[in-house]
Amino acid sequence: MQRSERLAEIVEIVRDGRLHLARDIADALEVSVRTIYRDIDTLVASGVPIDGERGVGYMLREPVFLPPMALSFTELEALSLGMSIVQAAADTELQEAAKRVMDKVGQHASNRRQAPKSWGFGVYAFERAQEGFRHMPLIRRAIREGLKLKIDYCSLDERTSTRVIRPLQMEYWGRVWTCSAWCELRKDFRVFRIDKTAACEPTGERFQAEAGKTIEDYLKHVADQMDRDRTRS
Amino acid sequence: MQRSERLAEIVEIVRDGRLHLARDIADALEVSVRTIYRDIDTLVASGVPIDGERGVGYMLREPVFLPPMALSFTELEALSLGMSIVQAAADTELQEAAKRVMDKVGQHASNRRQAPKSWGFGVYAFERAQEGFRHMPLIRRAIREGLKLKIDYCSLDERTSTRVIRPLQMEYWGRVWTCSAWCELRKDFRVFRIDKTAACEPTGERFQAEAGKTIEDYLKHVADQMDRDRTRS
DNA sequence: ACTCAACTGACATATAATGTCAGTTGAGTT
DNA sequence: AACTCAACTGACATTATATGTCAGTTGAGT
């Protein structure tokens, strides 16, 4: 196995967020422990946020990907446009992430000429409804990590209810963000407008994918519903 | 200089779109020509679109960037969301580019577990107004390369006019795309709704950045106008 | 004082990259 | 048809880099 390949492998191994011993990694990749120490050095030097603690092991401070991609100009334009829109249409956390992505691309691009500052796009569309974005970082984390959420939801007919949900997916409708979830109160899938959600906090409980309550089930559910609608009309 | 560094350098050198001889590259990087041939092999093998022709030299088939980036999970989410929106809200060319970007990221990510197919986003917002997108690839190229365009424009009061413009920037307003340009007919900046543009073709002429007619001038112009509006009210 | 596992330095060994040289190939030119 | 150019290839010696082994040190915790 090539060194560069092995470096990528180490990132993949460590990426699960758990603790890893240099000896285990060495065994898995069939090299000596010394090599792993050297590799980790290399990775840290090139910015991968790996923390090592004596007597403990290695951990990733925050998850990373290292996509080794070659982007064409058109792909860069798509990237640039997408990041512009995200900066206009999502919560602060995603806005900042989008900016960082463009910085990383731009930084490298500006080594030489032919790197336009703007890629010819302006995005003005979106009212910056910061209020409506408030819960988005938490909901995203909950989707990622499978956390149950307790929300106070103010439905369209102005009634407020408190319920526990398993958030599955966020949807963007151009102006409004929603969250599709399994609702433990109604024992069914429900869609919540994020800007109509007053309180929102983790219950502390986690949920596992459970037959009939997963994102795949939800998507199929929606597809079936659309089929029925079409047949009726 | 490290091999990996040198590979990146070669891409940077070749990226100007002009012809390069292996010997020149070798001189610039202070290695032998043989090494350059081997490096080019490596690059081509990893997907960089370099064309070599015997007796001629090397050229890049299409421009590329190789951003050596480590993306955090949040940054990946921003990327994923942005690409989803672009796939819903832009012309076919950009849609496909956005898809390719996600494929490139996903391909590498899916080497191991914990690579969600969807990053928890759905984007349903945008009517797929394919008609309105028709001229976008051409306009983007015109902005990039500084091509004058001749357009048949149907303004909001239903009058059609033909004019030559210098396209400067495209704007996205959530549902509608516009193009800001220097209008050679009105000798001023004008904004055109792309979906209201009937015909659109290059005149064959190119334009250079010219004092008072550049994108920077336009942005300043818009900012001044907004200032005046605010003062008045 | 002891354990653990990250970390370091030194040095021999193995692997990979490079330079040199002597070709071949394909397209175009004279 | 002969010639030129520069990409390309293969072989082999040389050099540089990566790796393994070993013998430590360090810092945190028990």
Side-chain angles (χ1 to χ4, degrees):
Chain A
M1 185 190 273
Q2 294 277 58
R3 188 178 123 93
S4 53
E5 230 184 293
R6 196 181 55 235
L7 292 174
E9 269 300 297
I10 292 178
V11 175
E12 294 296 327
I13 290 174
V14 172
R15 208 172 71 203
D16 62 5
R18 287 180 303 178
L19 213 57
H20 291 271
L21 306 187
R23 194 164 41 73
D24 294 343
I25 301 176
D27 287 350
L29 302 182
E30 298 178 303
V31 290
S32 78
V33 187
R34 187 67 181 84
T35 301
I36 298 299
Y37 288 132
R38 281 192 274 243
D39 286 351
I40 301 258
D41 265 3
T42 309
L43 288 171
V44 170
S46 60
V48 181
I50 296 179
D51 280 337
E53 204 169 333
R54 292 165 199 271
V56 183
Y58 287 110
M59 262 195 80
L60 218 55
R61 208 174 319 127
E62 55 172 323
V64 293
F65 281 67
L66 287 167
M69 38 182 179
L71 299 179
S72 74
F73 209 98
T74 308
E75 284 159 4
L76 259 177
E77 282 183 322
L79 197 83
S80 162
L81 170 60
M83 294 306 94
S84 300
I85 297 179
V86 171
Q87 282 180 64
D91 59 278
T92 328
E93 195 177 289
L94 280 181
Q95 277 173 19
E96 284 166 2
K99 182 154 189 329
R100 280 198 304 275
V101 171
M102 279 322 287
D103 284 350
K104 282 178 187 175
V105 174
Q107 177 191 335
H108 186 254
S110 65
N111 284 348
R112 303 230 161 204
R113 79 228 131 250
Q114 204 199 355
K117 245 176 249 154
S118 144
W119 264 268
F121 295 116
V123 175
Y124 304 102
F126 308 90
E127 52 265 43
R128 312 202 170 208
Q130 295 296 349
E131 272 309 299
F133 297 157
R134 199 177 19 164
H135 301 304
M136 284 179 54
L138 175 59
I139 296 175
R140 272 186 290 117
R141 191 162 71 88
I143 293 173
R144 281 207 294 271
E145 302 177 12
L147 306 175
K148 291 191 187 179
L149 293 177
K150 195 177 91 187
I151 63 171
D152 289 346
Y153 187 65
C154 177
S155 57
L156 295 177
D157 53 1
E158 301 295 324
R159 269 181 304 190
T160 304
S161 61
T162 301
R163 47 185 94 197
V164 173
I165 62 170
R166 306 178 175 202
L168 301 173
Q169 184 186 248
M170 294 173 65
E171 294 90 22
Y172 182 54
W173 303 88
R175 287 180 153 52
V176 176
W177 280 94
T178 58
C179 173
S180 292
W182 175 264
C183 176
E184 309 230 311
L185 179 66
R186 303 291 178 217
K187 303 225 177 301
D188 199 0
F189 297 110
R190 284 286 183 278
V191 178
F192 303 97
R193 276 184 59 160
I194 293 176
D195 58 336
K196 293 289 182 186
T197 303
C200 177
E201 56 183 19
T203 63
E205 254 183 305
R206 301 184 97 90
F207 64 92
Q208 302 290 326
E210 204 176 302
K213 304 182 182 177
T214 68
I215 176 68
E216 288 81 13
D217 293 317
Y218 173 64
L219 293 175
K220 206 182 304 159
H221 174 79
V222 172
D224 289 352
Q225 209 163 351
M226 286 177 75
D227 269 350
R228 241 177 303 136
D229 285 356
R230 205 174 311 131
T231 324
R232 213 167 26 212
S233 61
Chain B
M1 184 191 271
Q2 293 278 58
R3 188 179 123 93
S4 53
E5 231 183 294
R6 196 182 55 233
L7 291 174
E9 267 301 298
I10 293 177
V11 175
E12 293 298 326
I13 290 174
V14 173
R15 209 170 70 201
D16 63 4
R18 287 179 303 179
L19 213 57
H20 291 272
L21 306 187
R23 194 164 40 74
D24 294 343
I25 302 176
D27 287 349
L29 303 182
E30 298 178 303
V31 289
S32 78
V33 186
R34 187 67 180 84
T35 301
I36 297 300
Y37 288 132
R38 280 192 275 245
D39 285 352
I40 300 259
D41 265 3
T42 310
L43 289 171
V44 169
S46 59
V48 180
I50 296 179
D51 280 338
E53 205 168 333
R54 292 165 198 272
V56 182
Y58 286 111
M59 261 195 79
L60 219 53
R61 207 174 320 126
E62 53 173 325
V64 293
F65 282 67
L66 285 168
M69 36 182 180
L71 298 178
S72 74
F73 210 99
T74 309
E75 285 159 3
L76 257 177
E77 282 183 323
L79 197 83
S80 162
L81 170 60
M83 294 306 95
S84 300
I85 297 178
V86 171
Q87 282 181 65
D91 59 280
T92 327
E93 195 178 288
L94 280 180
Q95 279 173 18
E96 284 166 3
K99 182 156 189 327
R100 281 198 304 275
V101 171
M102 280 322 287
D103 285 350
K104 282 177 187 175
V105 175
Q107 177 190 336
H108 186 255
S110 65
N111 285 346
R112 299 235 159 199
R113 81 227 132 249
Q114 204 201 351
K117 247 174 248 151
S118 144
W119 263 267
F121 295 115
V123 174
Y124 304 104
F126 308 89
E127 52 265 43
R128 309 200 174 211
Q130 294 296 350
E131 273 309 298
F133 297 157
R134 200 177 18 164
H135 302 304
M136 285 178 53
L138 174 59
I139 296 175
R140 272 186 290 116
R141 192 162 71 87
I143 293 173
R144 279 207 295 272
E145 303 177 11
L147 306 175
K148 291 190 187 178
L149 294 176
K150 195 178 90 189
I151 63 170
D152 288 347
Y153 188 66
C154 177
S155 58
L156 295 177
D157 53 2
E158 302 294 323
R159 269 181 304 191
T160 304
S161 60
T162 300
R163 47 185 97 196
V164 173
I165 63 169
R166 306 178 174 202
L168 302 173
Q169 183 186 250
M170 294 173 64
E171 295 90 22
Y172 182 53
W173 303 88
R175 286 178 154 54
V176 177
W177 280 94
T178 57
C179 173
S180 293
W182 174 264
C183 177
E184 309 229 312
L185 179 67
R186 302 292 178 219
K187 304 225 175 303
D188 198 0
F189 296 111
R190 284 285 183 278
V191 178
F192 303 96
R193 278 184 58 160
I194 294 176
D195 59 336
K196 294 289 183 188
T197 303
C200 178
E201 56 183 19
T203 61
E205 255 184 304
R206 301 184 98 90
F207 64 91
Q208 302 290 327
E210 204 176 303
K213 304 182 181 178
T214 69
I215 176 67
E216 288 81 15
D217 293 317
Y218 173 64
L219 293 175
K220 206 183 302 159
H221 173 81
V222 172
D224 289 351
Q225 208 163 350
M226 287 176 75
D227 270 351
R228 239 177 303 134
D229 285 356
R230 205 175 310 132
T231 323
R232 210 164 32 210
S233 61

